[in-house]
Amino acid sequence: MNCELLATCSALGYLEGDSYHKEPDCLEGVKDLIRYLRHEDDTRDVRQQLGDSQIVQNDLLPIIVQYRQDKALFDACIRLMVNLTQPAMLCFGKIPDDPVFRHHFMQVTSHLQAYKEAFASEKVFGILSETLYDLLQLDWEQRQEEDNLLIERILLLVRNVLHVPADPCEEKKVDDDASIHDRVLWAIHMSGFDDLVKFLASAQSEQQWSMHVLEIISLMFREQTPEALVSAGHARSAEEKQRDSQELEALRRKEHAEKRSRTLQRGMRHSRFGGSYVVQGLKAIGEKDVIYHRNLNNFKNYTHDLGKAVRRVPKRNRQAQDCRDKRRSALNVRLFLREFCIDFLENCYNRLMYLVKESLIREQTQQHDETYYLWALSFFMAFNRGNGFRADLVSETMSIRTFHFIERNVTNYYEMLLTDRKEATSWSRRMHLALKAYQELLLTVNEMDRSPDESIRQSSNVIKSNIFYLMEYREIFLTLLRKYDETKQPHSYLKDLVESTHLFLRMLERFCKGRKNLIVQKKRVRRRKSQGKKKQSPQDASPEVLAETWKIVEEELRASGFQLSASLAESIVPFDAASETPLEEQRTEAMIRVQDALLARLGPEALALLRAAREVWPDGDVFGSSDVEPEEELDLLKQIFHANLPRRSPETVAEEEEDDGAELEEEELESVQLSEKEFNFLDFIKRFANPSIVRPYLLLLKSYSKNTPHTNHCIVRMLHRLAVDLKMDALLYQLSVFHLFNKILNDPAAAAYKELVTFSKYVLNRFFAVAAQNNKAYVELLFWKNVGAVREMTEGYAKDGDGKKPSWTEEEEEELRRLYMEHLDSEVPDIVETVIQLLSNSSRTRRQVVTQLVHMGLVDNAKELKKQKKGTQIVLWTEEQELELEMLFEEYRDSDDVLGDIMKKLTAKRSRARVVDKLLSMGLVSERRQLYKKRSRGAHGKSSGKGMTEEEFLAGVSQGFPDDSVDQDDEDEEDAESEDSEEDGNEREIPQPVRRRSQNFNLTAERRADISTMVNALQQDGLAGPLLWLQNSLNQTANDREEDGVSQPVPLVALTEANEDAMENHNFQKLLCKLGMRPPENEQETFWRIPENMSPSQLLSAAAALTSGQDGAENREEQQGSRDSTEETSTQAEEEEEEEVSTEHRAQALRALLLARSRKSHPALDADPMSDVNGDDPSSVIERSQEKMSTKRSKRRALDDDDDDDDNEEEKGIGFVFNMLTIFKNDY
């Protein structure tokens, strides 16, 4: 043991007899242990060492018993014990696979079992009950946060103790004997803690503990069954005695039959020599017969597998094991638990289950907490059924909402069972728990049917009508049986599933018998399939048929006077507003619909569709003018009737549907149609006639000797429905089934299984009758059969040629070979489509042609003729194509539509998305936006590639910046969508959004005046600080670009709340746009940016423009002009000019700063700013500007201390002083 842990444990105190003597620093020692547990490693070494020292038994429990009044020590001990008693599964996350960690896991579990034995004391639970009682006596106003924490810790401690699993190897207890768990339950009962649990479950003010209470209750009844608690303390009824006597008589008969069989197997006289026999007809390894060297009385048990090593079954194929933790507790414990159940149902059940259900729906609980709800529902409803059924005690969980909740959980558990294979066992147990809850709901509804109360029976009928009406509840058992997997789901799950299915079918059958007809809901998923035959068009029909059709339509329209009913006119919709198909294409489809209606001789429908389409598309008078006469409408219909309208071939439609895999799920969801139909019970039973459903029943039947009589009855009843009611006994004609029937018939205790024996004989007799007529029946025994195979086996097999399509004639084969060889070397895009169009038999489909080509040996595989998607014929780029692309890019890089011009000139046609990807991979462009079509101004007729004028810039700013940015983002998204659609094969031309026009960052006089006006307005709004921050950022960026010579976009990151508010100000954003700052371009950008193409001189000019005033503006214009001229001459002259200007600025700023310090306390500084207009002294104006400037300067320095060094800060501060002096001078 660690020396620090040992010293800390020793510092707690010592136990002398039944008295514990604590040390002075006992409280600090307990806190140290809590701290040690917080830093233990993955092996839980601290927890194991404390368990080895038995700190809970020798220290912590005696402390809380003797020093309960010491609140701080008591709370610390409870905290420590909650940590020490937490389940080992929580400590390790799961049962470790590694042997070393598995050993540590077992060690922690053994310590927990020792803790549980120490807690089986009335004194301990007495102290916990008294403390919890005192805390619950406090009103919520008086209860402190520490009190609520202590209540929760006590409940968690009791839960952890009850959660500790039993150790059957150590306890070795039999039924009716008190185990450690029983002793803990008895201590809970004697201390009155169970009454406190019931109070917490029923009190309205304590509903926050509902989940903890339900966990404790579920762990209390962990080893119990409702039937055992119901019968506790009661004498057995006559029915129970009769049932027990029948089971005992069956066992006696079975034992007597086995004894008699063993007697018959024994020879009449003892033979010292066994003898050897030749078994005729049974071949050995060679060609000779088997030689048998044993007595003949055991020959029927002979098999070739005798003496062979048993083949090991892989772990993944082993059958799932049942979790057997049920036992019968001591009588006094069962009686106490029975009384607890009765009180709980009468006072707590409905309220507690409501609170827990609400918490689960609102997701206010932890993961998998719904399992406690499912267990409580099944357990207490089963107890209620057995203990004199009362529907009002469980009314909260008897609703359609509960059925829906359980059905949803069953579905979720099954999906997780398939996906989370590592935790398949846990998900299987949860699924079994949900199935038990669903079964209990059905049993309770069935019990309500037998109630003498008419209102309860009516409630039962309402619930059943809802269950049987909805398809989800009606077909849940079909799904579960079909998806049963014996490697993941145990035998007990299959038993409950079969019994639940039997109960559901019996209730459904009884419900249908009492009614003439039952209407149920039906869901139908409509999947679009390619039709084998095209719709008839006018070109396919003969002129005589068309003339006759038009004559009938014309007579019908004239007879009706061209008048349409109101219902027909309202039901016709010519277009789909939610469809993604363009409106122009829908206009063509509407015209095709009119033609189809005319061909189908539906004149009124065609006329109604024509008039509705005219209202939607009035332009161009495609469907006639608004004031058209009836005779003109008739002529228009005749033109549409004889027109050759473009129609898509069904093969193309089918292939597009197959390729659209990304939207398949959405289309299926949209195509689910709800309808109602009349329910037929026999048709519903036919859905169980499937090998995947029959197999689980036969798997459960293999353990017939261990099953209960009720389970065997459920199995036989289902097989009887299939074999007798549906007359599909051939489903059971399988060798493994017959082997099982033979085992049942030869069982010495066969008299105890009368139903099984009778049914086995019936199926075997039917098989031999079929075998007399069908000589292949014995071969059919090797296979499981579906409904089609069953019908063939009993009614006769279909001939080879029946049901097949007519084959190809020799002339058609020769024609197909000739056409294929002619176009084999041609460059047609799709040779199969070309051949289909040239075939004399136009009814041949693409599938038939491809199949025949493979059959004739002209093509090795059908995949060679697979229709290629558009845009994907060319994948790889050759060197010549890459060189061509690079040359085209260099040629058109300055055009308005770079990508469009390249697409027009490319030799190898590719999709726009492929070309964009290649340009990016070659490094010719850095982002997709560089390839967007540039926006052009149609009013001026100028190319968007040229620079933008001042008027255009101001017009763009005046339109409102935020909306423009949003529109630009929307256009970017549309461009991305267009590229994706092209990737899928859509090659039609889509207008590309234009790129943001280039900006001229040189500030003209008019532009400076606008900026000066904006600056003055923002200063009056209190945004002087953000303006200074913006000016500082521009100056710093200009200096960085001069020093580094590298230009990159610089984000304007606001680090203060005032600057953040300014960046969201609409007027401030207009100023940024005026200065040439770039807004966030897409959803991935958050901040405004200083563009990379702004030169240092332009940045300094923009920063100087933030200083308002006429004189300052003139000076800045002169300075800017000098900078521009210097830039044109040489870089060295520019640097000298900037140095001179900065030196002059520093001198003026220092003089102004000294003047401000000398008149710092002058009273005129607080005067009205407007006093300068009335003739104030200019010096006072300067002083006021100095004071305001110094205050703003101190604020700015406080924000910039973390980012700038002292030298740069001093220079920027002096520049700021100069700018502020200029502002106030101009105002004066």
Side-chain angles (χ1 to χ4, degrees):
M1 185 175 181
N2 186 277
C3 58
E4 294 182 359
L5 283 177
L6 181 60
T8 306
C9 294
S10 301
L12 298 178
Y14 60 94
L15 182 64
E16 186 176 4
D18 293 336
S19 178
Y20 189 85
H21 303 277
K22 67 171 185 174
E23 296 292 342
D25 53 351
C26 180
L27 177 60
E28 287 71 16
V30 174
K31 292 181 179 180
D32 288 339
L33 292 178
I34 296 174
R35 194 176 302 110
Y36 290 146
L37 283 172
R38 194 179 298 123
H39 298 92
E40 62 182 350
D41 59 7
D42 294 339
T43 61
R44 309 300 172 191
D45 54 340
V46 177
R47 195 176 303 271
Q48 293 187 49
Q49 294 179 40
L50 293 179
D52 292 334
S53 65
Q54 298 183 351
I55 187 174
V56 173
Q57 300 92 317
N58 298 333
D59 295 285
L60 299 180
L61 290 181
I63 288 175
I64 67 170
V65 170
Q66 295 186 21
Y67 299 98
R68 174 175 172 256
Q69 303 303 326
D70 190 348
K71 191 174 184 306
L73 181 60
F74 184 85
D75 291 352
C77 291
I78 294 295
R79 281 183 60 194
L80 180 57
M81 285 192 292
V82 169
N83 197 338
L84 287 174
T85 57
Q86 70 177 358
M89 192 71 73
L90 289 179
C91 297
F92 291 88
K94 63 175 184 177
I95 300 179
D97 297 328
D98 185 76
V100 177
F101 280 91
R102 177 68 69 89
H103 172 72
H104 295 306
F105 179 86
M106 299 303 295
Q107 285 291 110
V108 173
T109 304
S110 63
H111 294 320
L112 290 175
Q113 292 165 351
Y115 297 158
K116 185 174 184 177
E117 186 175 3
F119 268 91
S121 170
E122 296 180 17
K123 290 183 180 181
V124 174
F125 275 99
I127 295 298
L128 296 177
S129 301
E130 292 176 6
T131 306
L132 185 59
Y133 177 78
D134 294 341
L135 294 173
L136 295 177
Q137 288 297 314
L138 300 175
D139 293 334
W140 66 271
E141 301 94 343
Q142 301 174 353
R143 196 179 296 176
Q144 302 296 324
E145 184 65 25
E146 294 79 7
D147 299 331
N148 287 329
L149 286 175
L150 185 56
I151 293 175
E152 185 175 11
R153 285 167 183 160
I154 291 176
L155 295 176
L156 289 176
L157 178 61
V158 176
R159 184 206 65 178
N160 291 346
V161 172
L162 291 172
H163 188 274
V164 177
D167 188 1
C169 298
E170 292 293 332
E171 295 184 20
K172 298 180 180 178
K173 300 293 183 179
V174 296
D175 287 347
D176 295 325
D177 195 2
S179 62
I180 294 178
H181 191 76
D182 293 340
R183 288 162 53 193
V184 173
L185 292 178
W186 188 249
I188 290 176
H189 174 59
M190 296 303 295
S191 64
F193 193 87
D194 57 332
D195 296 329
L196 294 176
V197 171
K198 288 184 284 187
F199 170 76
L200 290 172
S202 59
Q204 185 175 0
S205 59
E206 307 296 342
Q207 61 184 12
Q208 57 180 323
W209 316 116
S210 57
M211 206 65 229
H212 295 294
V213 171
L214 187 60
E215 290 183 52
I216 292 175
I217 293 174
S218 65
L219 293 172
M220 287 172 60
F221 291 88
R222 182 174 58 185
E223 298 178 350
Q224 311 299 325
T225 58
E227 296 78 11
L229 296 183
V230 168
S231 61
H234 291 282
R236 290 188 303 164
S237 61
E239 182 181 355
E240 292 176 347
K241 291 180 179 179
Q242 182 180 3
R243 185 171 61 251
D244 293 344
S245 63
Q246 290 177 355
E247 292 179 1
L248 185 62
E249 180 66 20
L251 291 174
R252 192 188 65 80
R253 289 180 180 177
K254 182 178 180 180
E255 184 179 0
H256 179 70
E258 291 177 352
K259 185 177 180 180
R260 186 161 175 253
S261 176
R262 287 195 300 270
T263 303
L264 293 176
Q265 288 178 2
R266 194 177 301 120
M268 296 302 297
R269 69 181 184 85
H270 175 69
S271 174
R272 298 186 181 276
F273 305 99
S276 298
Y277 305 91
V278 176
V279 183
Q280 293 184 355
L282 187 62
K283 298 296 181 180
I285 296 177
E287 297 181 356
K288 298 182 179 179
D289 294 335
V290 171
I291 299 177
Y292 185 70
H293 298 283
R294 301 190 179 188
N295 294 332
L296 293 179
N297 51 12
N298 290 326
F299 175 72
K300 66 177 184 178
N301 297 327
Y302 173 77
T303 173
H304 288 298
D305 295 331
L306 288 176
K308 293 182 180 179
V310 179
R311 188 173 184 178
R312 181 179 175 273
V313 180
K315 186 176 182 179
R316 64 177 181 275
N317 295 336
R318 294 177 189 172
Q319 190 171 0
Q321 298 298 320
D322 288 324
C323 183
R324 300 179 181 178
D325 55 353
K326 305 299 181 184
R327 60 178 298 275
R328 192 167 61 241
S329 301
L331 179 61
N332 57 346
V333 175
R334 282 186 284 142
L335 291 174
F336 138 65
L337 293 177
R338 182 177 181 274
E339 294 299 324
F340 183 93
C341 286
I342 294 174
D343 294 342
F344 181 78
L345 281 171
E346 292 180 352
N347 304 311
C348 312
Y349 177 81
N350 287 329
R351 175 169 180 77
L352 182 63
M353 297 299 281
Y354 170 78
L355 294 175
V356 173
K357 178 73 172 298
E358 288 298 317
S359 299
L360 292 172
I361 293 176
R362 300 175 186 273
E363 297 183 355
Q364 297 174 350
T365 56
Q366 296 180 358
Q367 196 176 14
H368 309 317
D369 276 350
E370 72 277 358
T371 55
Y372 295 106
Y373 177 85
L374 297 174
W375 172 88
L377 186 148
S378 60
F379 186 90
F380 288 106
M381 292 184 74
F383 182 87
N384 182 48
R385 280 191 305 104
N387 193 46
F389 175 74
R390 286 178 54 188
D392 59 314
L393 298 182
V394 293
S395 59
E396 171 58 34
T397 51
M398 281 310 302
S399 63
I400 299 299
R401 286 183 61 199
T402 309
F403 276 95
H404 173 69
F405 178 78
I406 298 176
E407 187 269 338
R408 186 181 62 182
N409 277 281
V410 169
T411 306
N412 179 47
Y413 292 153
Y414 176 73
E415 292 175 355
M416 296 304 299
L417 182 69
L418 298 180
T419 56
D420 191 4
R421 296 187 178 183
K422 293 184 179 180
E423 298 295 331
T425 304
S426 300
W427 291 112
S428 174
R429 291 177 182 174
R430 297 185 187 107
M431 190 174 178
H432 189 188
L433 203 56
L435 177 64
K436 288 285 291 182
Y438 200 91
Q439 179 187 22
E440 191 53 47
L441 286 177
L442 293 177
L443 288 170
T444 304
V445 172
N446 191 42
E447 193 72 26
M448 291 170 66
D449 280 341
R450 297 193 290 238
S451 175
D453 191 348
E454 179 64 23
S455 61
I456 295 179
R457 293 199 299 272
Q458 290 180 358
S459 301
S460 172
N461 285 331
V462 171
I463 294 176
K464 288 192 296 183
S465 62
N466 281 278
I467 296 172
F468 299 148
Y469 176 78
L470 294 176
M471 190 180 69
E472 291 83 358
Y473 307 135
R474 201 170 58 246
E475 298 187 355
I476 183 174
F477 296 107
L478 271 168
T479 305
L480 295 179
L481 284 169
R482 191 181 298 114
K483 303 298 183 180
Y484 175 74
D485 186 359
E486 60 180 324
T487 62
K488 297 182 179 66
Q489 296 160 319
H491 189 270
S492 58
Y493 168 84
L494 180 58
K495 170 181 172 295
D496 290 330
L497 179 58
V498 168
E499 292 180 357
S500 301
T501 307
H502 171 76
L503 173 64
F504 181 81
L505 292 178
R506 192 178 62 184
M507 292 172 59
L508 181 58
E509 185 178 18
R510 194 184 305 122
F511 191 79
C512 293
K513 285 183 179 178
R515 290 166 176 75
K516 293 183 179 180
N517 55 357
L518 176 64
I519 303 300
V520 297
Q521 186 186 79
K522 177 184 178 182
K523 289 185 179 180
R524 183 175 60 179
V525 180
R526 296 185 60 185
R527 294 183 177 86
R528 298 181 296 173
K529 297 181 179 179
S530 60
Q531 302 176 359
K533 171 172 161 180
K534 295 193 297 184
K535 290 184 179 180
Q536 185 182 12
S537 62
Q539 290 72 28
D540 298 334
S542 62
E544 294 79 8
V545 175
L546 291 177
E548 182 181 359
T549 302
W550 175 248
K551 183 178 180 180
I552 295 174
V553 171
E554 183 179 10
E555 292 177 356
E556 183 180 7
L557 291 176
R558 292 185 181 278
S560 62
F562 298 96
Q563 300 296 324
L564 302 176
S565 61
S567 59
L568 179 61
E570 293 177 358
S571 62
I572 296 297
V573 180
F575 81 108
D576 185 5
S579 175
E580 296 181 358
T581 306
L583 208 60
E584 296 301 323
E585 293 187 13
Q586 291 197 40
R587 183 176 64 181
T588 306
E589 293 177 0
M591 193 170 293
I592 293 175
R593 288 173 58 189
V594 174
Q595 190 182 65
D596 292 339
L598 293 172
L599 290 171
R601 300 180 180 180
L602 301 175
E605 285 80 356
L607 182 59
L609 188 58
L610 178 69
R611 292 177 177 177
R614 182 187 306 145
E615 296 179 1
V616 177
W617 294 282
D619 299 337
D621 295 340
V622 178
F623 295 95
S625 60
S626 58
D627 55 349
V628 65
E629 297 294 332
E631 292 296 334
E632 295 178 359
E633 283 184 329
L634 191 62
D635 293 338
L636 186 59
L637 287 176
K638 187 174 182 180
Q639 293 177 11
I640 296 175
F641 178 72
H642 293 285
N644 184 14
L645 300 179
R647 295 173 181 264
R648 290 197 302 174
S649 64
E651 293 292 332
T652 306
V653 175
E655 289 177 5
E656 289 182 1
E657 290 168 358
E658 291 174 0
D659 296 340
D660 196 9
E663 299 178 356
L664 179 59
E665 182 178 357
E666 181 181 355
E667 289 178 0
E668 289 184 354
L669 290 176
E670 292 178 351
S671 62
V672 172
Q673 292 187 349
L674 298 178
S675 59
E676 291 184 343
K677 68 172 184 178
E678 186 174 350
F679 181 76
N680 188 320
F681 181 75
L682 204 60
D683 292 340
F684 182 69
I685 294 298
K686 289 179 181 178
R687 304 192 61 183
F688 288 85
N690 191 294
S692 60
I693 294 179
V694 174
R695 264 193 225 108
Y697 278 88
L698 297 174
L699 183 64
L700 185 61
L701 186 60
K702 289 182 179 180
S703 58
Y704 70 94
S705 59
K706 299 179 182 178
N707 296 339
T708 62
H710 177 65
T711 303
N712 287 333
H713 170 71
C714 295
I715 299 172
V716 175
R717 186 70 184 96
M718 173 55 76
L719 298 180
H720 182 272
R721 292 182 189 275
L722 300 177
V724 180
D725 297 348
L726 298 182
K727 303 184 184 304
M728 300 189 69
D729 47 280
L731 274 175
L732 303 177
Y733 295 171
Q734 216 276 338
L735 203 58
S736 61
V737 180
F738 282 9
H739 176 71
L740 180 59
F741 287 167
N742 183 54
K743 182 180 178 181
I744 294 173
L745 295 175
N746 293 328
D747 195 325
Y753 314 110
K754 293 182 180 180
E755 278 187 328
L756 290 175
V757 171
T758 304
F759 181 75
S760 302
K761 291 181 178 179
Y762 169 80
V763 174
L764 291 173
N765 290 334
R766 293 279 299 174
F767 170 74
F768 291 128
V770 171
Q773 302 176 358
N774 185 1
N775 55 1
K776 300 178 182 177
Y778 294 99
V779 180
E780 292 280 5
L781 288 177
L782 301 175
F783 310 99
W784 289 99
K785 290 163 282 296
N786 54 22
V787 177
V790 167
R791 185 180 296 108
E792 288 185 343
M793 182 178 178
T794 54
E795 299 178 3
Y797 299 98
K799 296 182 180 179
D800 295 338
D802 294 349
K804 291 187 178 181
K805 297 181 180 180
S807 58
W808 291 65
T809 62
E810 294 183 1
E811 292 78 6
E812 291 177 336
E813 289 184 357
E814 185 62 29
E815 180 187 15
L816 178 63
R817 180 181 287 104
R818 178 178 56 80
L819 292 174
Y820 179 77
M821 298 306 296
E822 287 178 358
H823 296 84
L824 180 61
D825 298 330
S826 63
E827 297 181 355
V828 293
D830 191 352
I831 188 173
V832 178
E833 290 292 337
T834 305
V835 170
I836 291 176
Q837 295 175 2
L838 298 176
L839 282 175
S840 58
N841 187 355
S842 60
S843 61
R844 296 293 184 185
T845 64
R846 180 185 182 92
R847 183 183 298 274
Q848 292 175 347
V849 172
V850 171
T851 304
Q852 187 63 22
L853 287 173
V854 175
H855 178 69
M856 294 170 62
L858 299 176
V859 181
D860 295 334
N861 195 337
K863 293 182 179 180
E864 298 179 8
L865 300 176
K866 186 176 180 181
K867 191 173 183 179
Q868 296 181 351
K869 300 179 183 179
K870 294 182 179 180
T872 59
Q873 290 87 349
I874 307 174
V875 178
L876 299 178
W877 291 74
T878 62
E879 295 182 1
E880 294 78 7
Q881 292 172 350
E882 291 181 355
L883 183 60
E884 178 191 14
L885 180 62
E886 186 175 358
M887 293 175 61
L888 289 174
F889 177 77
E890 293 296 336
E891 181 180 354
Y892 297 108
R893 66 184 309 166
D894 296 329
S895 65
D896 294 343
D897 188 5
V898 181
L899 187 59
D901 294 338
I902 293 176
M903 293 293 297
K904 293 176 183 178
K905 298 296 183 180
L906 267 182
T907 305
K909 299 300 180 182
R910 302 176 187 264
S911 66
R912 300 173 71 94
R914 298 288 186 191
V915 176
V916 171
D917 292 339
K918 191 60 180 178
L919 289 172
L920 290 170
S921 63
M922 293 173 65
L924 299 177
V925 292
S926 58
E927 56 182 5
R928 294 176 183 267
R929 299 183 181 277
Q930 300 178 15
L931 298 174
Y932 291 167
K933 186 185 295 183
K934 299 180 177 62
R935 184 184 287 118
S936 59
R937 289 289 179 178
H940 300 284
K942 296 179 180 180
S943 174
S944 60
K946 298 181 180 180
M948 185 172 54
T949 64
E950 179 69 19
E951 290 76 9
E952 292 174 346
F953 179 84
L954 294 176
V957 173
S958 63
Q959 290 175 0
F961 166 72
D963 297 337
D964 294 343
S965 63
V966 174
D967 294 341
Q968 179 65 20
D969 291 341
D970 294 341
E971 291 170 356
D972 295 344
E973 293 176 2
E974 293 173 2
D975 183 76
E977 292 176 359
S978 67
E979 290 184 2
D980 294 341
S981 63
E982 289 166 0
E983 182 70 17
D984 295 334
N986 186 5
E987 292 294 335
R988 29 177 220 273
E989 183 68 23
I990 298 177
Q992 297 291 325
V994 295
R995 185 183 178 184
R996 190 182 303 275
R997 64 175 63 89
S998 60
Q999 295 185 3
N1000 184 8
F1001 300 109
N1002 296 325
L1003 300 182
T1004 61
E1006 184 180 357
R1007 192 168 173 184
R1008 287 179 182 276
D1010 293 340
I1011 293 176
S1012 179
T1013 304
M1014 290 182 178
V1015 169
N1016 291 332
L1018 291 174
Q1019 286 178 348
Q1020 293 178 3
D1021 294 340
L1023 297 179
L1027 288 172
L1028 299 176
W1029 162 72
L1030 177 59
Q1031 187 182 39
N1032 183 22
S1033 301
L1034 294 174
N1035 287 327
Q1036 184 179 358
T1037 305
N1039 295 333
D1040 293 341
R1041 291 185 178 179
E1042 285 181 352
E1043 295 175 359
D1044 301 337
V1046 179
S1047 297
Q1048 292 181 353
V1050 179
L1052 295 173
V1053 182
L1055 299 178
T1056 63
E1057 186 176 356
N1059 294 345
E1060 289 180 359
D1061 296 339
M1063 295 300 292
E1064 297 175 359
N1065 189 299
H1066 181 71
N1067 295 327
F1068 195 85
Q1069 291 178 350
K1070 281 188 175 181
L1071 176 62
L1072 292 175
C1073 188
K1074 204 74 167 175
L1075 293 172
M1077 302 299 105
R1078 181 166 64 84
E1081 292 189 352
N1082 50 39
E1083 65 278 359
Q1084 296 181 352
E1085 292 185 359
T1086 306
F1087 306 106
W1088 286 68
R1089 282 168 167 75
I1090 302 174
E1092 68 275 10
N1093 49 357
M1094 286 188 71
S1095 64
S1097 60
Q1098 292 172 341
L1099 289 174
L1100 292 174
S1101 177
L1106 295 177
T1107 304
S1108 62
Q1110 297 178 359
D1111 297 339
E1114 294 175 358
N1115 295 334
R1116 283 189 300 274
E1117 287 179 7
E1118 294 175 359
Q1119 295 167 6
Q1120 180 63 35
S1122 63
R1123 288 196 186 94
D1124 294 340
S1125 61
T1126 306
E1127 286 179 357
E1128 293 175 359
T1129 56
S1130 64
T1131 306
Q1132 182 177 2
E1134 178 186 357
E1135 294 177 354
E1136 294 176 356
E1137 181 70 16
E1138 290 177 356
E1139 288 179 0
E1140 293 176 0
V1141 173
S1142 61
T1143 304
E1144 183 181 356
H1145 287 178
R1146 286 196 188 93
Q1148 294 178 4
L1150 285 175
R1151 288 195 296 270
L1153 185 59
L1154 293 175
L1155 180 61
R1157 290 179 179 176
S1158 63
R1159 302 184 180 183
K1160 188 173 185 181
S1161 59
H1162 198 278
L1165 293 176
D1166 299 329
D1168 188 2
M1170 297 300 296
S1171 61
D1172 56 349
V1173 182
N1174 298 325
D1176 287 351
D1177 184 42
S1179 62
S1180 64
V1181 178
I1182 297 176
E1183 291 172 7
R1184 287 197 300 272
S1185 64
Q1186 292 277 1
E1187 181 66 22
K1188 296 179 181 179
M1189 173 271 302
S1190 61
T1191 304
K1192 295 178 180 179
R1193 180 184 178 187
S1194 61
K1195 294 181 179 179
R1196 185 185 62 81
R1197 284 192 172 180
L1199 297 175
D1200 296 338
D1201 280 345
D1202 296 337
D1203 300 326
D1204 304 327
D1205 56 339
D1206 296 338
D1207 298 335
N1208 291 336
E1209 181 181 347
E1210 182 179 359
E1211 292 179 4
K1212 293 167 186 173
I1214 293 172
F1216 161 69
V1217 172
F1218 171 75
N1219 292 330
M1220 291 303 298
L1221 287 173
T1222 306
I1223 293 173
F1224 284 97
K1225 179 181 177 182
N1226 294 331
D1227 291 340
Y1228 173 73

